[in-house]
């Protein structure tokens, strides 16, 4: 009878050698967080009173609403920053590969910039950039 060859393959894939330190670090961090949370719960004060329930801000008991209304131009500036930041990221990515992209890449980035500029012109015409007092409104 012929005997089957015994192979030394396990059902689990072999792990890279960097896995063990990562696993040990993860376990140690999780245990440390658990121990600290348990210690805070166990050692913390369990009594409460009316003074502990009051909000406290730098020694002054707050009055009024905590909500501050930011003016609309603040949000517009934030949106402009995001739009032009993303535009700059795309243009820098195009600039690093402009030789490989050739004329087709130049046409695409030009179309991209023109669309953004048309959006900016439309916003300007609609008055989205008029934040302060102007002579026409007086």
């Amino acid at each position: 009878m012929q005997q089957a060859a015994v192979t030394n393959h396990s059902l689990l894939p072999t792990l890279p050698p960097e896995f063990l330190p990562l696993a040990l670090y993860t376990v140690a961090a999780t245990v440390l967080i658990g121990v600290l949370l348990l210690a805070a719960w166990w050692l913390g004060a369990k009594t409460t009173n009316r003074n502990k329930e009051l909000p406290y801000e730098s020694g002054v008991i707050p009055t009024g609403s905590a909500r501050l209304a930011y003016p609309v131009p603040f949000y517009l500036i934030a949106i402009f920053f995001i739009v032009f930041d993303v535009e700059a990221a795309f243009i820098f990515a195009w600039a690093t590969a402009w030789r490989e992209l050739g004329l087709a890449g130049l046409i695409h980035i030009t179309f991209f910039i023109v669309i953004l500029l048309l959006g900016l012109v439309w916003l300007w015409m609609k008055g989205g950039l008029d934040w302060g007092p102007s002579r026409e409104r007086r």
Side-chain angles (χ1 to χ4, degrees):
M1 293 236 154
Q2 203 175 33
Q3 201 171 17
V6 177
T7 58
N8 197 11
H9 295 292
S10 68
L11 296 176
L12 297 175
T14 58
L15 298 174
E18 296 89 9
F19 180 75
L20 182 62
L22 177 65
L24 289 176
Y25 177 76
T26 303
V27 168
T30 304
V31 168
L32 180 64
I33 289 171
V35 167
L36 290 174
L37 286 173
L38 185 65
W41 172 79
W42 187 56
L43 297 173
K46 308 244 184 322
T47 60
T48 183
N49 60 34
R50 195 176 133 221
N51 286 336
K52 285 187 178 182
E53 302 297 325
L54 288 176
Y56 183 77
E57 181 73 30
S58 302
V60 178
I61 295 176
T63 59
S65 175
R67 297 184 63 96
L68 297 174
Y70 286 104
V72 173
F74 172 79
Y75 295 107
L76 290 176
I77 291 172
I79 290 172
F80 287 150
F81 172 75
I82 291 171
V83 166
F84 288 109
D85 193 41
V86 170
E87 175 191 5
F90 280 128
I91 291 173
F92 285 142
W94 168 80
T96 58
W98 70 275
R99 284 187 183 156
E100 290 83 13
L101 295 174
L103 183 61
L106 179 64
I107 291 170
H108 282 96
I109 199 69
T110 303
F111 183 71
F112 177 71
I113 292 171
V114 166
I115 292 294
L116 281 174
L117 286 176
L118 288 174
L120 185 62
V121 168
W122 177 81
L123 185 64
W124 191 354
M125 290 172 51
K126 291 291 183 179
L129 301 177
D130 298 333
W131 300 334
S134 66
R135 291 182 185 156
E136 290 102 25
R137 284 189 241 160
R138 282 192 229 165

